[in-house]
Amino acid sequence: MVLGLTLPGERGPRDGEPAAERAGNSSGTADAASAAKASGTPVPGGSAPPSASATPTGPIPAAAPGAVAVKANELGQVPVLMYHRIVAKPEMSLDRSTKELYDELTRLAKGGYSPITAGEFASGRFNVPAGKHPVVLTFDDSTPGHFTLDAAGRPQADTAVAIIQRVAQENPGFRPTATFFLNKELFGLEGSPVTAALKWLTQNGFELGNHTMTHPNLAGMSEKKVREEIGGMEDRIYHLTGAHTATLAYPFGSVPRKEKWARSDGARYAFQGIFLAGWRPSPSPFAEEFDRWNIDRVRSEGKIKENDCTKYCSTAWLEYLDKNPDERYTSDGDPNTVTFPRTAEDRLDGTYRARARAY
């Protein structure tokens, strides 16, 4: 099946629902937690984003000298890169070659980027060294080129995981992690190798996410079908790993008629963030404009004409952020503070004001 993505366009209001609380439990997550506690089932989605507290008043404290020295801007944009098949020789739209993946990851490492997981990003809980820039590596569809183990129990050469590890070994400080958004065909494996593969990933710093059972367009489906697709995949992942996923990626970037159908379903699933298939970097999770239920991603691709990649795919965006470093997220090195230039203060989500530092 040739997999597509949503092209640039305006996103209007959905469902008539109020905006999600960006840094607190949604009602769906709270309901899921209560149900899970009653049933003895682990809460889906892991820990929730930080709970909201009273917003402090008065001037924002001064940033630490070290944060100022690296020109920290934790309200800047974050590239969330979206990969599909990784193959020796691309054959379809969205394919990336093993060399293209290696080259792009090496560029990220040399450019001061530090990978974090989708779950860490959506929750706003991550720790990136001072002066470095977070990047989220996401792989959709759990295809064989993403991961498999060789006879010795190591990642097969030229799979995405092996390439990530190679780049990390060649570039100390580049964290070897990524999030794999799974469909029911798990890396082309069946039986015990599936369990072994997922166990290896979770034990070695990689993250699993939900991408539905059969990769349908959720936009035209009923509530029952949407929940069957998402819940069926979550059941499968939980059965194989004993753990729930924290994030969902919409197939094709297509949003259901009611977003709440995808966000949670009792104790079956309750996500901390949902990712689109997109065309621009994401706002910082500490910025007012950040919406954890509609997180932007960038297709990994060169500056080709298809889908306006000359402007909107990874090569173009990474070049743009290199040329406009003031628009890029740069870490202050302290996970307990949110540092930014005072000129950006109006962009801060008030939930994080107690952690804010400015210069």
Side-chain angles (χ1 to χ4, degrees), residues 71 77 107 111 113 133 281 303 310-311 314-330:
K71 298 182 178 179
Q77 299 180 77
R107 174 184 183 165
Y113 285 91
H133 320 293
K303 295 171 73 173
T310 53
K311 296 180 180 179
S314 60
T315 298
W317 272 116
L318 292 175
E319 287 181 358
Y320 177 85
L321 292 174
D322 284 344
K323 294 176 182 177
N324 298 274
D326 57 318
E327 296 186 30
R328 177 173 57 188
Y329 187 117
T330 299

Side-chain angles (χ1 to χ4, degrees), residues 102-179:
Y102 172 80
D103 289 347
E104 184 160 78
L105 295 181
T106 299
R107 174 184 183 165
L108 291 169
K110 301 296 185 186
Y113 285 91
S114 180
I116 61 175
T117 68
E120 290 168 344
F121 180 66
S123 69
R125 290 193 175 104
F126 51 89
N127 190 4
V128 171
K132 300 294 186 180
H133 320 293
V135 62
V136 186
L137 308 176
T138 65
F139 293 81
D140 290 8
D141 311 331
S142 52
T143 56
H146 292 170
F147 180 63
T148 190
L149 294 170
D150 63 18
R154 295 185 295 261
Q156 184 70 44
D158 286 336
T159 58
V161 170
I163 294 169
I164 292 169
Q165 290 190 321
R166 176 187 170 190
V167 172
Q169 291 170 354
E170 294 173 350
N171 299 273
F174 188 78
R175 180 185 173 199
T177 192
T179 298

Side-chain angles (χ1 to χ4, degrees), residues 60-343:
I60 291 176
V68 178
V70 299
K71 298 182 178 179
N73 180 13
E74 296 184 315
L75 296 181
Q77 299 180 77
V78 177
V80 181
L81 301 188
M82 177 182 67
Y83 299 92
H84 289 83
R85 294 202 316 165
I86 303 301
V87 293
K89 184 178 180 180
E91 300 171 343
M92 300 190 297
S93 176
L94 306 184
D95 284 357
R96 293 295 266 162
S97 73
T98 52
K99 182 180 186 304
E100 287 169 334
L101 176 61
Y102 172 80
D103 289 347
E104 184 160 78
L105 295 181
T106 299
R107 174 184 183 165
L108 291 169
K110 301 296 185 186
Y113 285 91
S114 180
I116 61 175
T117 68
E120 290 168 344
F121 180 66
S123 69
R125 290 193 175 104
F126 51 89
N127 190 4
V128 171
K132 300 294 186 180
H133 320 293
V135 62
V136 186
L137 308 176
T138 65
F139 293 81
D140 290 8
D141 311 331
S142 52
T143 56
H146 292 170
F147 180 63
T148 190
L149 294 170
D150 63 18
R154 295 185 295 261
Q156 184 70 44
D158 286 336
T159 58
V161 170
I163 294 169
I164 292 169
Q165 290 190 321
R166 176 187 170 190
V167 172
Q169 291 170 354
E170 294 173 350
N171 299 273
F174 188 78
R175 180 185 173 199
T177 192
T179 298
F180 292 90
F181 286 114
L182 309 177
N183 298 127
K184 68 177 181 180
E185 291 85 10
L186 295 167
F187 310 117
L189 303 173
E190 296 182 1
S192 59
V194 173
T195 303
L198 299 186
K199 180 179 180 181
W200 189 98
L201 287 170
T202 56
Q203 290 183 344
N204 285 273
F206 293 87
E207 182 183 53
L208 308 179
N210 190 316
H211 200 41
T212 73
M213 286 289 285
T214 66
H215 202 282
N217 184 334
L218 299 177
M221 299 177 69
S222 67
E223 176 180 1
K224 179 181 179 181
K225 291 295 184 181
V226 169
R227 294 192 185 280
E228 284 178 351
E229 280 286 341
I230 298 171
M233 193 66 232
E234 193 68 18
D235 292 345
R236 180 160 166 72
I237 295 169
Y238 183 77
H239 173 75
L240 291 168
T241 67
H244 286 284
T245 65
T247 56
L248 168 75
Y250 287 131
F252 309 107
S254 297
V255 182
R257 289 200 305 274
K258 292 187 179 294
E259 292 184 13
K260 64 182 181 181
W261 299 345
R263 293 179 186 178
S264 64
D265 187 4
R268 197 178 192 190
Y269 59 84
F271 300 113
Q272 299 306 313
I274 299 179
F275 289 76
L276 304 174
W279 53 282
R280 64 181 182 181
S282 172
S284 162
F286 311 122
E288 179 66 29
E289 63 184 307
F290 180 72
D291 178 0
R292 66 187 175 106
W293 303 120
N294 293 281
I295 301 174
D296 292 303
R297 293 194 287 172
V298 176
R299 171 185 169 182
S300 173
E301 185 55 85
K303 295 171 73 173
I304 63 174
K305 292 182 179 180
E306 180 182 291
N307 288 343
D308 276 340
C309 277
T310 53
K311 296 180 180 179
Y312 298 120
C313 291
S314 60
T315 298
W317 272 116
L318 292 175
E319 287 181 358
Y320 177 85
L321 292 174
D322 284 344
K323 294 176 182 177
N324 298 274
D326 57 318
E327 296 186 30
R328 177 173 57 188
Y329 187 117
T330 299
S331 175
D332 67 2
D334 184 347
N336 297 311
T337 58
V338 179
T339 300
F340 48 86
R342 289 197 182 274
T343 54

